[in-house]
Amino acid sequence: GAGVSQTPSNKVTEKGKYVELRCDPISGHTALYWYRQSLGQGPEFLIYFQGTGAADDSGLPNDRFFAVRPEGSVSTLKIQRTERGDSAVYLCASSPWSGGQYEQFFGPGTRLTVL
Amino acid sequence: SQQGEEDPQALSIQEGENATMNCSYKTSINNLQWYRQNSGRGLVHLILIRSNEREKHSGRLRVTLDTSKKSSSLLITASRAADTASYFCAILSGGSYIPTFGRGTSLIVHP
């Protein structure tokens, strides 16, 4: 079956612009996670959804970052007034249940470059 | 939530040799997961081991967990060039629902 998909695969933007990154989880997966990964580092947690609600957004670095999952499926990560330090690969993962008791299925990521 | 620390940071071996990498953590865990990441396939889940388990196998992979030492190891036997990748441990601890990742071990297997 289809895995987790993310669009776009690459996004180049200018400092100060607004970007949206999309994640399509595996059908039926209730848990959805966003991570950010910089070169040479492991994935850094941003936000976790259980169904439609953000169960934990403690990883969002500041209020320029926001994410939604209005129908409990597709999620969009939104970054306002982008900064060069936002450049990273943004990873989305889904899981069949909450609680981290099941493996996470990761998408290929969106590489964001802020010039 | 706590983060696991992988060791070594980098490992270079010849095809056919075994590769061992370790993950240490500080407080009690619910489970620990190992993932592999290479440029071709992104992050892929390998094995999940729960806190009440000591060893799990999957093909050429063997994971052990020593809760008294707060450490886990991933052994890849008879390595292949295709095993070249970064390997991460992800920790789930306490009441958290968020697996947190370490910095990873970069493995290079020379043909």
Side-chain angles (χ1 to χ4, degrees):
Chain A
V4 177
S5 63
Q6 293 185 245
T7 54
S9 55
N10 279 285
K11 176 71 177 178
V12 180
T13 190
E14 292 180 345
K15 180 175 178 294
K17 299 289 190 184
Y18 168 82
V19 296
E20 288 190 352
L21 312 179
R22 177 187 167 109
C23 171
D24 273 276
I26 293 173
S27 177
H29 281 192
T30 59
L32 186 146
Y33 306 78
W34 282 99
Y35 290 84
R36 176 169 71 174
Q37 186 175 26
S38 300
L39 193 63
Q41 304 292 317
E44 172 195 5
F45 168 72
L46 295 176
I47 187 170
Y48 156 60
F49 287 90
Q50 176 56 31
T52 60
D56 188 332
D57 64 358
S58 62
L60 295 178
N62 51 58
D63 61 6
R64 294 187 298 105
F65 288 74
F66 188 70
V68 295
R69 195 186 185 198
E71 298 178 357
S73 177
V74 170
S75 176
T76 304
L77 178 65
K78 309 180 180 190
I79 310 174
Q80 297 178 319
R81 304 183 304 280
T82 52
E83 299 177 356
R84 292 194 180 88
D86 299 336
S87 296
V89 176
Y90 288 80
L91 298 169
C92 174
S94 69
S95 184
W97 195 244
S98 64
Q101 297 299 323
Y102 294 84
E103 66 182 278
Q104 293 176 305
F105 294 81
F106 280 83
T110 293
R111 182 175 298 278
L112 175 66
T113 302
V114 182
L115 301 176
Chain B
S1 55
Q2 65 174 314
Q3 183 177 26
E5 291 187 18
E6 293 91 343
D7 171 67
Q9 289 188 352
L11 185 58
S12 181
I13 60 174
Q14 294 296 129
E15 209 167 28
E17 294 179 340
N18 295 342
T20 299
M21 52 206 87
N22 305 293
C23 174
S24 59
Y25 54 92
K26 292 187 167 55
T27 63
S28 62
I29 62 170
N30 296 332
N31 68 51
L32 185 149
Q33 304 178 39
W34 284 93
Y35 287 80
R36 178 177 61 211
Q37 185 176 41
N38 59 31
S39 57
R41 291 196 60 197
L43 261 167
V44 174
H45 179 267
L46 297 176
I47 291 182
L48 182 155
I49 188 163
R50 302 186 192 284
S51 59
N52 60 354
E53 298 175 315
R54 291 297 167 258
E55 188 170 312
K56 289 189 85 167
H57 297 255
S58 176
R60 294 182 297 110
L61 306 180
R62 172 178 169 245
V63 167
T64 60
L65 179 65
D66 187 334
T67 53
S68 66
K69 294 181 179 178
K70 293 187 171 54
S71 70
S72 173
S73 67
L74 169 66
L75 168 67
I76 304 173
T77 59
S79 64
R80 305 168 182 168
D83 295 328
T84 294
S86 291
Y87 292 81
F88 297 92
C89 66
I91 303 284
L92 187 75
S93 60
S96 174
Y97 293 108
I98 314 300
T100 54
F101 289 78
R103 288 188 165 190
T105 292
S106 175
L107 173 66
I108 297 175
V109 181
H110 299 279

